[in-house]
Amino acid sequence: MWAPGILCGVGIKLNVQNEGFDTSKPHVFVSNHLSYLDIPVLFRAIPANLYFIAKKEIKWLPFVGQYMMATGMLFVNRDNRHKAIISLKKAARLVGKGKSVLMFPEGTRSKHGRINPFKKGPFHLAKDAGVTVVPIAITGTDKVLDIHSGKITPGEVQVNIGKQVDPNEFPAIQSLIQECQGRVEQLKDAK
């Protein structure tokens, strides 16, 4: 309910292209990451009840952190591998109960607009939970909320949601990562 209010408040005109995925099943959604606005944009754009897995530092962001804690989102301590693995196992149980999870596999926001190399966590999660990966590309949120100055400039944001990828078709995790990152890059360049 809060996402449309935030988008309206900062002046985002949202355009969504969806290549289609099975909305009756849970998925692991993976998206590039440009801005703190990506979270409300994706809540609005993806036709699924989403749970986020975010770095633990997000807990302390005003409004967003409190909302995420109140709604049962999961936080990962990226500085502690053991705790990160425990968080991903909790996420796999969520997905196993029919919940879709969204992750930013770059690990942090891009400071230059290009997509950084993807980390393994989301893809292990999809394999462990036995669900498909849905690649997503966002453009424009970094223009609306400047990463350096914090200045807000109303504008257009594009979200392109790709077709689901079956992890079982990729025996090696690295080939799954490369496939999904390639799809996100293609979606980012599509208009």
Side-chain angles (χ1 to χ4, degrees), residues 48-120:
N49 188 15
L50 291 176
Y51 285 79
F52 275 80
I53 298 179
K55 60 185 178 183
K56 68 178 173 130
E57 293 82 4
I58 299 292
K59 273 187 188 182
W60 314 118
L61 273 180
F63 308 112
V64 173
Q66 288 85 358
Y67 172 81
M68 290 177 74
M69 284 189 289
T71 56
M73 305 299 171
L74 297 173
F75 297 91
V76 175
N77 182 344
R78 296 183 310 172
D79 300 329
N80 184 319
R81 181 171 160 70
H82 177 70
K83 287 183 179 178
I85 290 169
I86 290 170
S87 296
L88 289 175
K89 288 184 186 290
K90 283 183 189 175
R93 286 193 297 274
L94 263 181
V95 175
K97 293 178 183 175
K99 311 286 187 194
S100 288
V101 173
L102 184 125
M103 297 178 75
F104 298 113
E106 293 171 279
T108 191
R109 292 170 291 145
S110 171
K111 293 179 175 53
H112 45 65
R114 293 182 304 276
I115 296 174
N116 294 313
F118 282 6
K119 298 183 182 308
K120 296 177 183 177

Side-chain angles (χ1 to χ4, degrees), residues 99-148:
K99 311 286 187 194
S100 288
V101 173
L102 184 125
M103 297 178 75
F104 298 113
E106 293 171 279
T108 191
R109 292 170 291 145
S110 171
K111 293 179 175 53
H112 45 65
R114 293 182 304 276
I115 296 174
N116 294 313
F118 282 6
K119 298 183 182 308
K120 296 177 183 177
F123 307 98
H124 280 296
L125 171 59
K127 276 190 171 278
D128 291 347
V131 300
T132 60
V133 178
V134 178
I136 299 173
I138 300 176
T139 55
T141 52
D142 55 333
K143 307 285 188 284
V144 174
L145 178 60
D146 184 272
I147 192 170
H148 304 291

Side-chain angles (χ1 to χ4, degrees), residues 173-183:
I173 199 77
Q174 197 56 44
S175 59
L176 173 62
I177 293 169
Q178 288 171 346
E179 176 68 21
C180 291
Q181 181 159 351
R183 290 194 189 193

Side-chain angles (χ1 to χ4, degrees), residues 15 18 24 29 34 40 42 44-45 49 88-89 97 101 121 129 139 159 167 169 184:
N15 298 312
N18 186 347
S24 70
F29 294 91
L34 299 170
L42 291 171
R44 184 74 175 134
N49 188 15
L88 289 175
K89 288 184 186 290
K97 293 178 183 175
V101 173
T139 55
V159 175
E169 294 177 10
V184 171

